[in-house]
Amino acid sequence: VVVVQNASVLDLKKALRRHVQLRQARQGGVPQLSWKYIWRTYHLTYAGEKLADDRKKLREYGIRNRDEVSFIKKLRK
C-alpha cells in the first residue's frame, strides 16, 4: 500500500481499505466488508507497538518505506 511521505495512521487505514476493496473487486471476493467492525475488533501494529492514535504521523512510529504493519486482535475488556 502506498501513502504519502507525511501520512497519518488514518491515511494508512484509508489506503488499506481502498487496496482491499480493489483487490476484492478484481478477484470477485466478498462484495463488502464491515470496516467499522474491523477497526473495532483489530489493532494495526508495527514492531509490537499499536498504532492507536489516528492523528499521529507514521514517521513518529518509525515507519518507513517497505515496512510491514499487521493486524492483531483486540483483547476483550
Side-chain angles (χ1 to χ4, degrees):
V1 177
V2 178
V3 292
V4 293
Q5 197 73 21
N6 61 348
S8 66
V9 174
L10 185 61
D11 295 331
L12 176 62
K13 287 181 177 181
K14 287 178 182 177
L16 281 170
R17 179 180 180 172
R18 200 169 36 248
H19 172 76
V20 169
Q21 287 174 338
L22 287 171
R23 187 169 163 202
Q24 285 181 327
R26 287 186 203 123
Q27 295 178 351
V30 178
Q32 187 67 25
L33 285 174
S34 172
W35 286 95
K36 189 175 183 180
Y37 170 80
I38 291 171
W39 298 132
R40 188 176 62 230
T41 310
Y42 296 93
H43 282 293
L44 272 178
T45 61
Y46 172 71
E49 185 178 356
K50 295 176 186 173
L51 308 182
D53 186 4
D54 283 348
R55 294 181 303 265
K56 202 168 177 182
K57 302 288 182 190
L58 296 177
R59 172 180 314 147
E60 295 175 40
Y61 285 107
I63 299 174
R64 298 178 181 223
N65 287 341
R66 300 196 182 272
D67 282 346
E68 196 170 299
V69 295
S70 58
F71 286 96
I72 61 164
K73 192 156 177 90
K74 291 182 180 180
L75 299 175
R76 292 186 192 171
K77 293 180 182 178

